[in-house]
Structures are given as C-alpha cells and as structure tokens.
Amino acid sequence: ESIIKSYKSSQNPLIKKSLLLAAFSTNESFLRARIISKMPDINRITEDVYITMLIKKEIQKRLENYEERKNLFNKYYEQDHITFLDTDKDLRNSLAHNIDAPKVSGDNLTYLVYLKRRATTEERTVNMLTVLKDLKDHPTKLYPGNNNLKG
C-alpha cells in the first residue's frame, strides 16, 4: 500500500520505475519466504557441514530462478496453477537490467522484450498503477479463500 501511495505522489519517472521494481522485489521475497517456511530443516537431515552447505546453495540457486521458484512454490503448496505471468517476469527483468531503458508517459510504461524464438524484440506498454495494484493483491489472489499462505 505504501508503494502505491509513494507512486501516486511522485512525478519523477525514475522514482515511479524504482517503486515498480521494489514491488516486484517485495513479491519475490514473499514467495521465497513462503517456500522456505515449508521446507524441512536441513540441519535435521544431515549433520555434515559440507553437505548442508551444498544443499543450501542449491536451494538458493533455485529460489533465484523464476521457473524454479514457481515449481518449488507449486510443490510445497500442492498447486499447479500459480498465477505468475510471463509479462510480469519480462517487465521485472526489463526494469532490473536497465531501469533507464523503459519509457514513462503518465502512468504508462513502455519496455522492450527480447523474443528468443524469433531473435527479435517486441515493444510492450503497461499501466504501472494497474501493475502495482496487481502486485499488491498477488499473494491473496494465488489461492482465493485458501489460508495456506500463512506458512
């Protein structure tokens, strides 16, 4: 909610894009925390410090990857319909890799997406306020009426 309030009070395009990226980051952190809360305690599985370190590194690597994070979430919450959208991933990556590149016009943000299959780019435009509201509601939209997200 505070990100949306700050967004609405700013006229600076860089601040608006930064707040949008912060909202993506907040959601990613939320999902990581939910996944980790469902995982078994590694220290109870093995007392071998080296094996524990390897397992933790592998888990961290998987949590940093969009597809792996989605798969882990679905596994631990026994769901196969997580509502991640590829456009969200593309928008988040565009902001994270070069926040200056996307262009702002009012509440609209235009960014480029690289299409691997065609080896071309495609221009997309989104309403930043709509995306921010969707991100704010995302955790409760994952599974309406399901309290599994409490950990």
Side-chain angles (χ1 to χ4, degrees), residues 20-21 23-25 27-28 31 66-67 69-70 82-97 109 111-113 124-128 130-139 141-142:
L20 186 56
L21 182 57
F24 277 112
S25 179
N27 270 25
E28 288 175 17
L31 290 173
Y66 171 83
E67 288 299 326
R69 189 170 48 248
K70 181 169 72 169
I82 194 166
T83 58
F84 285 111
L85 301 174
D86 286 339
T87 53
D88 288 347
K89 179 181 71 167
D90 294 335
L91 172 56
R92 178 246 176 248
N93 287 344
S94 178
L95 291 167
H97 295 289
L109 179 79
Y111 63 102
L112 293 176
V113 176
R124 293 185 185 159
T125 301
V126 296
N127 182 287
M128 291 185 286
T130 300
V131 173
L132 284 170
K133 288 177 181 176
D134 287 347
L135 288 170
K136 180 180 95 42
D137 295 338
H138 185 253
K141 280 182 166 178
L142 286 174

Side-chain angles (χ1 to χ4, degrees), residues 6 11 28 33 37 51 59 65 72 95 107 111 118 150:
S6 296
Q11 297 303 313
E28 288 175 17
S37 75
I51 297 296
I59 290 168
N65 178 279
L72 283 168
L95 291 167
D107 286 330
Y111 63 102
R118 294 185 278 184
K150 292 183 179 175

Side-chain angles (χ1 to χ4, degrees), residues 1-8 132-133 135-137:
E1 195 67 40
S2 63
I3 290 177
I4 293 173
K5 187 176 180 180
S6 296
Y7 171 88
K8 287 180 177 179
L132 284 170
K133 288 177 181 176
L135 288 170
K136 180 180 95 42
D137 295 338

Side-chain angles (χ1 to χ4, degrees), residues 42-43 46-57:
I42 296 167
N43 295 321
T46 180
E47 292 181 14
D48 186 307
V49 176
Y50 183 71
I51 297 296
T52 301
M53 180 191 69
L54 289 175
I55 292 170
K56 286 181 179 181
K57 279 186 177 183

